[in-house]
Structure formats: structure tokens, C-alpha cells
Amino acid sequence: MKKVKEISLILGVTWIGDLLNQLLPLPIPAGVYGLFLMLALLCTGMVKLADVEGTGNFLLDNMSPMFIPAGAGLIRYLDEIKAVGGIYLLINVISTVIVFLVTGRVAQFVMGQTEKRSKVSQCK
């Protein structure tokens, strides 16, 4: 009975996210509404983690088969994908390198600021 309660709660939040997607004129996917709604419920304590943890872990553990239909659907467009695949690969590599560099610089900056603050607080 606990599993039925957990899946009902998760599906209910997902359904409300879908309703919000239909009602609000924003370009936000229904799943994102559902995720933010679940986050809000968990953060406010209206839903306890134990109320959804078992089913949530089961869904996460078995997520891979959910991508099989989408992957099989890509086969239909294989010629189009081959035509632009090199460009997409190049774009992915360049953007990944840029993200690595920016993330590294931001991390260095934050760590430097933290060290400065700790040195200032030690001097006082």
C-alpha cells in the first residue's frame, strides 16, 4: 500500500505540473513545473522525503529503458543526423571546453575570495 501512495503522490505532482503547463503561457516544459512543485513540497515539509523516496529511487534505477523508444525513433532520421553530425560534434566539443574553462576560472576566483576572507578573519 505504501508503494501505491508513493506513486500516486509522484503522478499527482506530475499531473499538476502538466496542468500548470497548459494554463500558464510560459515556454516551460510540464516536467519542469512538476519538478519545481515537488521541490517546493519537499522543502516546505508538506511532503516528507520518506513519502516518495522508495518509488523515486526505483524510477531512477530503471530510467534507462525509458530512452529506448526515443533512441529507436532516431534511426528513422539517420541520414539527416549523418549530414549534420560533424557540425554538432564540433559544437559539442567547443562548448564543453568553454564550459570547463569558465567553470575552472569561477572556481579559482571563489576559492581565492574564500582564502582572502579567511586570512582577514585570522588577522583580527
Side-chain angles (χ1 to χ4, degrees), residues 30-88:
V32 174
Y33 283 120
L35 287 172
F36 277 116
L37 180 60
M38 182 62 82
L39 177 65
L41 291 171
L42 287 168
C43 287
T44 60
M46 294 176 72
V47 172
K48 304 287 185 230
L49 182 59
D51 294 340
V52 293
E53 188 172 23
T55 301
N57 285 336
F58 172 79
L59 292 171
L60 284 173
D61 291 341
N62 296 291
M63 189 185 308
S64 299
M66 313 262 179
F67 290 99
I68 292 173
L74 287 175
I75 293 173
R76 187 179 339 164
Y77 301 103
L78 201 53
D79 293 332
E80 290 88 352
I81 292 171
K82 284 181 184 177
V84 295
I87 296 169
Y88 284 149

Side-chain angles (χ1 to χ4, degrees), residues 109-119:
F109 174 76
V110 170
M111 288 170 46
Q113 294 298 315
T114 305
E115 287 177 14
K116 286 180 185 176
R117 287 185 184 154
S118 66
K119 286 180 183 177

Side-chain angles (χ1 to χ4, degrees), residues 1-10 55:
M1 196 65 180
K2 183 177 189 290
K3 296 290 183 194
V4 173
K5 178 185 171 190
E6 289 180 9
I7 195 72
S8 298
L9 185 58
I10 291 171
T55 301

Side-chain angles (χ1 to χ4, degrees), residues 86-109:
I87 296 169
Y88 284 149
L89 182 62
L90 181 65
I91 291 170
N92 278 322
V93 169
I94 291 171
S95 63
T96 300
V97 169
I98 291 171
V99 168
F100 283 164
L101 293 173
V102 170
T103 303
R105 292 292 182 191
V106 169
Q108 287 177 339
F109 174 76

